[in-house]
Amino acid sequence: MGHHCCSKQKVKRGLWSPEEDEKLVKYITAHGHSCWSAVPKHAGLQRCGKSCRLRWINYLRPDLKRGTFSEQEERTIIDVHRILGNRWAQIAKHLPGRTDNEVKNFWNSCIKKKLIAQGLDPKTHNLLPASRSLLHGNGANPSNPAQFHSNGAITNGGATTPFTISSPTKAAYDTVTAPPPPEMAPAMYDDVPNSAGVLMGLDQVAAAGIPGYPYPDNGGGVLMSFRDQNAAGLHTSMDFMNGSSSSSSMDHAAGMTNGNGFSQGMGVAFVDVTAGMWTTAVESGMCAGIEVGQQQQQPLLPPQGLVQGEVVGRPTVVNGGAAHDKGMDMMDVSSVYGGAGATAFDLELMESCGLFCGGGGGAGNAMEQLQWDC
DNA sequence: AACAGGGGCAACCGCTTGCCG
DNA sequence: TCGGCAAGCGGTTGCCCCTGT
């Protein structure tokens, strides 16, 4: 089936000739592309507008960087993919001069295989079952570069799994990580000043009676820990324990008191999707929201030891309500049981709400600030 | 030298999203 | 509010080239 935009006309398909390229470049350079469907006609091309657009974006654009991906670019792709999943366009935004198509192709042809060779699932960045059992069996596997660290993270030749966000440039917002080993958890919670840091958890956490952090026997979850130097050392952990039988939104917000931990002047809203209600603690100005989407009916999987934070891009913007009225950006964070669910982050939202970037202040691009802990 | 197989990449397809009347 | 249209986006396809036999 052809494009509806070109169904009425005879259009050429397949590879572009140098002459066609020249025509398109000439036209776009001179006139721009206010309407792609009109471009081929005006440029004298037997192509559909969509094809012209693709050719321009993926190949002819003057700001494109051609050639092989650098090691840094490769690491950036892996790290951002860990957060966003297959959102190639979003990933490409972190790589100046690269297109989504290029990133996607590079991922499929190269990175994917590397990850598999390292025993990692390229979709989830989790250990593949075979590697997981090896690690569980007796710790390290000499043939597998993935290794546990004492802090619960797994590294594989530079990349850290589960996902860890750190910002060495600012020494802030230091960790977003999967649950730490049990012996570490209380210390992390203890580190949270009652008046400032906030433990945000679902009722599983409450039932467990923090600091009795229920990891790992409850099937996992995601612990997010932010340290915001801009807020005088404010350290916040967010713990999204998934799969609990639903509780009210008020339960979710119960531990929040007055602090939210993101940064000064920011508000927080929780949305319990299953309950269809939400509570806001919106202050003024820029607000960051967390939508905790519980996968209510999802059965708990048997404990599998370390359960990693898993991320699949699925940005959610919740319209309506106080948060929306105040221009709140919503970030959907749903945690996961060992690959059964999804946690969604949107780096753009993080950037825009200053969650990880400290609200700007002359900082560089997102990746400069999101120096992942590799 | 010829052929087969695999990898990489450009382009296409079709669905989603956003805008506008 | 709805429908049409254009653009955006991710998945898939198919061609070309390289390498091994």
Side-chain angles (χ1 to χ4, degrees):
Chain A
M1 195 179 84
H3 303 147
H4 65 263
C5 64
C6 52
S7 56
K8 294 174 193 166
Q9 40 188 303
K10 258 190 183 175
V11 293
K12 190 183 167 196
R13 293 173 55 188
L15 294 181
W16 281 64
S17 68
E19 292 75 29
E20 287 177 308
D21 282 347
E22 194 185 336
K23 280 182 182 177
L24 184 59
V25 169
K26 226 175 197 174
Y27 178 80
I28 299 290
T29 306
H31 304 98
H33 54 79
S34 56
C35 178
W36 280 110
S37 56
V39 166
K41 187 183 166 191
H42 293 133
L45 290 162
Q46 301 286 315
R47 297 270 181 177
C48 72
K50 197 167 184 173
S51 184
C52 291
R53 177 184 157 270
L54 226 56
R55 184 64 179 170
W56 175 258
I57 289 174
N58 288 334
Y59 199 81
L60 298 175
R61 245 170 50 198
D63 58 328
L64 286 182
K65 187 199 287 182
R66 311 292 304 176
T68 54
F69 282 77
S70 69
E71 213 168 290
Q72 176 60 43
E73 285 177 313
E74 183 178 329
R75 280 175 53 181
T76 300
I77 292 170
I78 293 170
D79 288 335
V80 180
H81 183 276
R82 193 185 301 149
I83 301 295
L84 297 177
N86 292 359
R87 295 172 66 193
W88 307 116
Q90 296 295 317
I91 295 170
K93 284 179 185 172
H94 294 281
L95 299 161
R98 302 293 188 182
T99 69
D100 55 346
N101 207 35
E102 212 175 355
V103 170
K104 179 173 58 181
N105 284 336
F106 183 57
W107 176 271
N108 286 327
S109 64
C110 186
I111 298 179
K112 211 169 164 181
K113 287 165 195 166
K114 278 190 189 176
L115 291 180
I116 291 170
Q118 292 178 352
L120 296 170
D121 185 341
K123 276 186 184 171
T124 63
H125 296 257
N126 288 342
L127 282 172
L128 289 165
S131 303
R132 186 185 295 241
S133 61
L134 282 171
L135 284 165
H136 273 281
N138 192 20
N141 168 20
S143 66
N144 190 329
Q147 301 286 340
F148 281 113
H149 276 207
S150 59
N151 65 358
I154 301 171
T155 63
N156 59 88
T160 300
T161 307
F163 71 86
T164 301
I165 299 173
S166 67
S167 177
T169 55
K170 289 190 155 193
Y173 336 107
D174 71 52
T175 312
V176 174
T177 180
E183 65 272 17
M184 266 196 75
M188 296 191 74
Y189 289 121
D190 290 342
D191 196 24
V192 178
N194 289 336
S195 59
V198 174
L199 175 72
M200 298 181 287
L202 305 187
D203 51 356
Q204 267 190 336
V205 177
I210 296 300
Y213 187 62
Y215 169 85
D217 292 330
N218 66 345
V222 177
L223 171 71
M224 299 172 67
S225 172
F226 303 95
R227 182 176 291 117
D228 184 347
Q229 288 190 331
N230 294 334
L234 185 66
H235 186 166
T236 297
S237 298
M238 297 192 299
D239 191 350
F240 302 100
M241 308 306 298
N242 197 6
S244 61
S245 57
S246 182
S247 64
S248 74
S249 296
M250 295 303 288
D251 289 336
H252 300 169
M256 293 175 60
T257 63
N258 58 337
N260 53 55
F262 288 113
S263 66
Q264 291 169 324
M266 293 176 71
V268 171
F270 279 98
V271 179
D272 182 336
V273 172
T274 60
M277 57 184 289
W278 55 326
T279 302
T280 59
V282 179
E283 294 175 15
S284 58
M286 187 69 142
C287 299
I290 306 294
E291 173 182 331
V292 181
Q294 291 182 268
Q295 292 156 3
Q296 192 175 10
Q297 302 305 326
Q298 202 161 40
L300 281 168
L301 294 180
Q304 296 201 15
L306 191 92
V307 179
Q308 299 162 33
E310 192 172 60
V311 185
V312 174
R314 187 171 63 83
T316 300
V317 175
V318 177
N319 294 316
H324 183 256
D325 292 342
K326 290 190 175 266
M328 174 182 284
D329 287 323
M330 300 305 299
M331 185 169 66
D332 182 326
V333 180
S334 24
S335 55
V336 57
Y337 305 102
T343 297
F345 263 22
D346 190 317
L347 278 182
E348 280 201 331
L349 292 178
M350 290 178 184
E351 292 170 26
S352 64
C353 70
L355 248 181
F356 288 88
C357 304
N365 64 31
M367 288 316 295
E368 285 169 344
Q369 299 184 43
L370 277 171
Q371 289 291 322
W372 307 86
D373 187 7
C374 297

